[in-house]
Amino acid sequence: MLFRSIEFANTGNLATSSIFTGTGNIVGSNTGTTNLASTVSTTAGDVTLASSGAMTVNGLVRSLSGNVGLTASSITQNNTVSAGGTGSVSLKATGGAITMGSSVTTTTNGGNIVYEATGNITLGLLRATTGAVNAPSGDVIVKSGAQIADANGNFINNVLANNIALIAATGINLDVKEAGVLAAQTTSGSLVIRDLNCGPRVVTGEAEFSFDFLAALYSMLGLQGNLDKLASIKDDDTGTRKRGRQV
């Protein structure tokens, strides 16, 4: 049965059955662990689900024309999360990791994808594209309080998007393909990015402070004044205080 909208609040552990809506939103919260065991889908609304405990995505989670937002202490993603139309996808782990399976995909139809976690983020594939040819058109931001890691092996893509910003505390190891700006920064640890645009190329090193990284974020957020100020103080050809190697 299709409903206009669905709202629920649960106390304790939760395992969901299939949830479908036609033109409404799906909004849910839970105080324990959450297992999205079956499909959660809306045709023309947003999906917003929050758990104070761990969340496992075992069923498809999608909006055909709206946004999808999942928040939990940690998130294990074993199935597709997708947003159609102009919708975006946001996953946030407030107390741990986001872990995608090696063959798992998150997709938008040109909308943005944001993954943020206090712990490690391990990626299958984040794809922000439009059309049958999967042209990169949306932006992807991945921010980890620890490492950003590769779940599917070297030279198998993890991110396909227009602009890509990667922010980590203790290292980045990833394969990407971008149409616009690629910006990456890690406070410590190694930075290894296999840029598949170049057929393929590996960028390694540690990024302490990157002008290009800030420029990408300012551009994504529409902060033109900050972008102009940044350009005025850029004083070398690398745009970084600590430059990586290309091999």
Side-chain angles (χ1 to χ4, degrees):
M1 179 180 294
L2 292 178
F3 299 90
R4 286 189 177 274
S5 63
I6 294 176
E7 296 186 15
F8 64 87
N10 186 73
T11 301
N13 298 334
L14 174 68
T16 64
S17 56
S18 297
I19 302 173
F20 295 93
T21 67
T23 59
N25 300 323
I26 299 173
V27 180
S29 63
N30 183 41
T31 60
T33 61
T34 301
N35 177 11
L36 302 179
S38 301
T39 298
V40 178
S41 178
T42 178
T43 301
D46 296 337
V47 177
T48 307
L49 302 175
S51 175
S52 59
M55 179 181 290
T56 303
V57 181
N58 284 321
L60 169 68
V61 178
R62 70 180 178 186
S63 171
L64 297 182
S65 60
N67 304 309
V68 176
L70 305 178
T71 302
S73 62
S74 64
I75 300 175
T76 301
Q77 184 181 344
N78 298 322
N79 210 326
T80 299
V81 176
S82 68
T86 59
S88 63
V89 172
S90 172
L91 266 67
K92 185 173 184 178
T94 59
I98 296 175
T99 306
M100 298 179 71
S102 60
S103 61
V104 173
T105 301
T106 294
T107 65
T108 67
N109 186 40
N112 298 332
I113 299 174
V114 178
Y115 273 43
E116 182 177 358
T118 58
N120 294 335
I121 297 179
T122 304
L123 298 181
L125 174 61
L126 307 182
R127 189 177 69 214
T129 60
T130 56
V133 296
N134 288 326
S137 53
D139 298 328
V140 169
I141 299 176
V142 181
K143 183 178 181 181
S144 169
Q147 296 181 345
I148 301 174
D150 180 351
N152 56 24
N154 294 352
F155 300 112
I156 301 173
N157 201 16
N158 299 114
V159 183
L160 176 60
N162 184 27
N163 299 308
I164 300 171
L166 307 172
I167 313 149
T170 58
I172 300 173
N173 180 8
L174 220 57
D175 303 274
V176 303
K177 188 172 184 179
E178 81 290 344
V181 175
L182 167 61
Q185 177 173 294
T186 182
T187 306
S188 64
S190 62
L191 189 157
V192 180
I193 297 176
R194 291 166 291 276
D195 188 345
L196 305 183
N197 275 329
C198 301
R201 175 183 62 171
V202 179
V203 180
T204 66
E206 293 181 1
E208 186 177 79
F209 179 88
S210 169
F211 282 93
D212 289 339
F213 165 75
L214 292 177
L217 286 185
Y218 291 157
S219 177
M220 288 179 192
L221 298 173
L223 302 177
Q224 187 60 45
N226 298 70
L227 193 59
D228 293 342
K229 184 183 295 185
L230 187 68
S232 71
I233 63 173
K234 185 173 179 178
D235 58 2
D236 63 27
D237 64 337
T238 68
T240 62
R241 283 166 47 193
K242 185 179 289 186
R243 190 180 186 187
R245 295 184 298 112
Q246 295 183 7
V247 297

